[in-house]
Amino acid sequence: MAFTKQQLLGLTESHLIELYPNHKVHIDVVNAITDLQKASREAGFDLRLASSFRSFERQKTIWNKKAKGQLACFDKNERPLDISACSPFELADTICFFSAIPGTSRHHWGCDFDIFDFNAYPAGKTPQLKQSEFTPGGENFPVYQWLLKHAADFGFYFPFTQTHDGVCPEPWHISFKPVSELAQKQYSKHLLIDILSTQPVLLADVILKYIDYFYPKYIGQYHV
Ligand SMILES: [Zn+2]
């Protein structure tokens, strides 16, 4: 099934069904994700979704709060950053390391998920999705090792593994390739230019001015 522009940008839910309370997923991913979760339980884990579909509106709220300093921004070492010292370009560049520009999140597609092992957390403790939870000794390190071996059997892969320039590595983010590669093929720089030109996204002017810096660094290499 081809994606519409609205679906690629998170502006509609027409491609989704609600699989769990507060978790909408692409209709063509239901079997794969539930099969993966079942297999995880057979292996002694309990793979749960921390994040599934996220709308353009939700991503815009997160982004705009960070741009206004209402939500903490972090540097590449996960330390809080003083944004008052940043130029608009530096601020956009910093936010992009951890948060997608609204309209570019792979979570808009419904086939990408942030996951954690529910069994690894004591009651009352919630996953933060930090690197330390996925490295040796971290709560999700065992399920991450299991996923590295078995996720591909179910069609999933980790799109954010690059440790060089670009987006923060996300060992918690998996993607159902048969569907996400369709979205990747259809996505283009022009979609982003259109949406940033028409929606009230803070810092849109600086991103549009330097689109040939932002697009390949933060979107292109993760969408192809
Ligand atoms: Zn994610």
Side-chain angles (χ1 to χ4, degrees), residues 113-143:
F113 310 103
D114 296 336
I115 51 78
F116 67 101
D117 177 16
F118 182 78
N119 284 349
Y121 289 84
K125 194 173 178 204
T126 49
Q128 304 299 306
L129 303 186
K130 296 209 173 221
Q131 302 296 330
S132 59
E133 294 168 275
F134 289 79
T135 48
E139 291 90 341
N140 292 300
F141 183 69
V143 78

Side-chain angles (χ1 to χ4, degrees), residues 51-52 54 105-107 112-115 129 160 170 172-174:
S51 189
S52 45
R54 197 180 304 138
S105 175
R106 295 178 61 106
H107 287 282
D112 282 48
F113 310 103
D114 296 336
I115 51 78
L129 303 186
F160 299 113
E170 293 190 6
W172 49 82
H173 185 119
I174 59 170

Side-chain angles (χ1 to χ4, degrees), residues 18-19 25 53 68 76 81 85 94 96 110 121 160 166 182 222:
E18 189 166 18
L19 182 59
V25 311
F53 167 74
K68 281 190 274 192
K76 296 191 176 184
L81 185 84
T94 299
C96 280
Y121 289 84
F160 299 113
L182 267 178
Y222 305 101

Side-chain angles (χ1 to χ4, degrees), residues 6 17 42 59 65 103 194 200 216:
Q6 304 286 99
I17 68 156
E42 285 160 8
Q59 193 69 23
K65 278 188 175 173
D194 278 357

